[in-house]
Amino acid sequence: MLDKFEREINYLRVSITDRCNLRCTYCRPKEGLSLQGHDDILRYEEIIRFVSVAVNMGLIKVRITGGEPLVRKGFIDFISALKKIEGLQDISLTTNGILLPEFAESIFQAGIHRINISLDSLNEDKYAKITGGGNLQKVLLGIKKAEEVGFSPIKINTVAMSGFSDDEILDFSKIAFEKPFQVRFIELMPFGQAQAFHAENYLPIDQIMKKITSRYKLEKIEGKKNKADGPANIFKIIGGRGEIGFISPLSGHFCATCNRLRLTADGKLRSCLLRDEEFDLKKLLRQNCSDVELKKFIHEVIALKPKEHDISCSPEHLRKCQRDMSEIGG
Ligand code: SAM
């Protein structure tokens, strides 16, 4: 699936629910978020049908996200059904880790072996504050469980925020030094709620890197391990066991290599995370469309994939993304 800028689109991120067991302040509002009703979100069979058709067109990788994917009922059976789609080479999962002690084993058994766990602070009080009451110990237990069960790689995603986590950058780096994990620093993006405090909390990746290299020596890992790999710049931490990744959607503008589509929980297909255009897949599916019509729809969405997002770090661009990340899936 080539778009008009010759990018090969082979990666889909699927949000299976907009519900979450955390309330991260930059991701969703404290109150007032209208949770989608049962019928508003795509049924698992609808997602499976869409993915099967897209795989037929060249999709090779799916990441399951949310909201928090582990809170949706029937999630393990859904993974097993995805695993049966011939030609789908890679399925991975992004979770906040809270429910991993309970589910890690069955997720692994169902066939997902690659996992990203989001963790923005290693301090219990700060973690509770940013997540609206989350319990850090549960996530740490979840990470431990994921390691015991055998997930590989385990990636720890941390959204770097000025005035919040700048004093923890070296603590996060230490994890990558001691454990065979990939610790990834992500720039805060100006979505719905996050717009409010984006400017003051935005922390560009080069500042994070400067801090890390004051303590650790990093060596860039060149090239991608496989063609559906994401946009992170990955470094080996010299003398350590793990890796450090940097994801800089704003300062780094990696749109030229973007290979993604995104499916929201309520069935909208987006070709760019940081633009508001989306296309109503749910409506089409519920009109009992044929596979030919579905393929045409996918082609049309890909044809309209923009060359790049138009968000910059300047204040006049901060109101570009209206939906919260919890609705889109990250
Ligand atoms: N609940 C799961 C989790 O916590 O990983 C999956 C969904 S969450 C929306 C996916 C990722 O998006 C998390 O790592 C979260 O930190 C990140 N995220 C949410 N809002 C963001 C923002 N405004 N800027 C950057 N990352 C954001």
Side-chain angles (χ1 to χ4, degrees):
M1 296 191 279
L2 279 187
D3 74 359
K4 61 176 185 279
F5 305 102
E6 301 285 307
R7 293 172 297 198
E8 189 176 348
I9 312 302
N10 53 21
Y11 178 12
L12 175 74
R13 294 174 74 103
V14 184
S15 169
I16 60 169
T17 178
D18 71 328
R19 289 169 195 255
C20 190
N21 45 1
L22 295 180
R23 294 281 176 277
C24 297
T25 49
Y26 57 83
C27 187
R28 62 191 302 156
K30 236 190 255 147
E31 54 229 330
L33 179 74
S34 70
L35 292 174
Q36 311 275 354
H38 198 66
D39 252 7
D40 299 324
I41 62 168
L42 283 186
R43 295 187 281 272
Y44 284 136
E45 312 87 76
E46 291 171 324
I47 302 174
I48 296 289
R49 176 171 179 219
F50 174 74
V51 172
S52 305
V53 169
V55 165
N56 202 260
M57 297 167 68
L59 184 80
I60 55 174
K61 178 174 174 178
V62 167
R63 173 170 296 277
I64 303 164
T65 175
E68 170 51 38
L70 305 195
V71 302
R72 182 160 172 188
K73 280 205 188 91
F75 164 74
I76 301 294
D77 289 341
F78 169 63
I79 304 173
S80 306
L82 269 183
K83 279 301 282 182
K84 290 198 184 110
I85 298 176
E86 220 173 294
L88 182 58
Q89 295 173 15
D90 189 284
I91 307 172
S92 52
L93 170 73
T94 297
T95 171
N96 59 34
I98 297 276
L99 292 172
L100 272 182
E102 193 180 326
F103 287 115
E105 191 104 45
S106 30
I107 294 168
F108 194 85
Q109 297 303 338
I112 289 190
H113 299 158
R114 290 160 28 74
I115 197 161
N116 289 9
I117 303 168
S118 304
L119 177 59
D120 295 335
S121 176
L122 297 165
N123 171 292
E124 285 192 25
D125 294 338
K126 280 166 73 183
Y127 182 80
K129 189 167 170 229
I130 197 83
T131 58
N135 181 336
L136 175 66
Q137 291 312 320
K138 285 192 181 162
V139 185
L140 297 179
L141 213 61
I143 295 173
K144 188 162 172 267
K145 184 77 184 178
E147 195 182 5
E148 280 165 16
V149 166
F151 282 92
S152 176
I154 293 175
K155 298 182 185 176
I156 309 291
N157 285 345
T158 182
V159 177
M161 285 166 279
S162 177
F164 177 76
S165 54
D166 21 18
D167 60 338
E168 294 195 61
I169 291 170
L170 290 176
D171 296 336
F172 273 104
S173 306
K174 191 163 172 251
I175 298 180
F177 191 80
E178 292 175 349
K179 292 275 185 189
F181 300 163
Q182 189 181 99
V183 174
R184 294 139 43 104
F185 295 92
I186 303 171
E187 283 179 347
L188 179 67
M189 291 176 262
F191 286 94
Q193 289 305 300
Q195 290 177 5
F197 66 111
H198 182 267
E200 79 189 77
N201 291 101
Y202 172 68
L203 183 60
I205 285 296
D206 57 349
Q207 286 186 29
I208 299 168
M209 209 163 180
K210 211 162 149 197
K211 192 137 200 177
I212 297 174
T213 49
S214 70
R215 166 98 40 103
Y216 298 103
K217 214 168 159 202
L218 301 181
E219 186 180 288
K220 176 122 201 261
I221 300 176
E222 299 290 350
K224 293 183 172 197
K225 284 181 191 146
N226 73 58
K227 68 177 184 167
D229 274 354
N233 278 316
I234 311 294
F235 293 78
K236 177 110 201 68
I237 185 160
I238 302 296
R241 300 175 69 197
E243 296 169 348
I244 295 201
F246 299 99
I247 303 183
S248 49
L250 300 190
S251 68
H253 227 297
F254 39 65
C255 305
T257 57
C258 181
N259 57 352
R260 297 167 183 204
L261 292 176
R262 289 184 156 81
L263 184 53
T264 65
D266 61 349
K268 306 289 191 312
L269 194 59
R270 295 171 72 107
S271 61
C272 175
L273 171 65
L274 288 160
R275 284 187 184 249
D276 284 321
E277 287 86 11
E278 41 187 43
F279 301 86
D280 200 342
L281 172 69
K282 184 177 70 186
K283 187 167 166 214
L284 185 72
L285 286 170
R286 293 188 183 172
Q287 284 166 348
N288 291 324
C289 67
S290 67
D291 282 0
V292 174
E293 285 167 323
L294 201 46
K295 280 186 181 166
K296 186 165 167 272
F297 172 86
I298 297 172
H299 275 307
E300 282 166 1
V301 173
I302 289 176
L304 291 170
K305 186 172 168 74
K307 184 165 183 239
E308 52 194 19
H309 71 70
D310 58 357
I311 287 183
S312 72
C313 313
S314 64
E316 67 270 21
H317 278 103
L318 288 184
R319 300 201 63 77
K320 276 292 174 189
C321 275
Q322 297 308 318
R323 286 246 230 176
D324 281 304
M325 189 77 128
S326 56
E327 296 178 285
I328 305 167

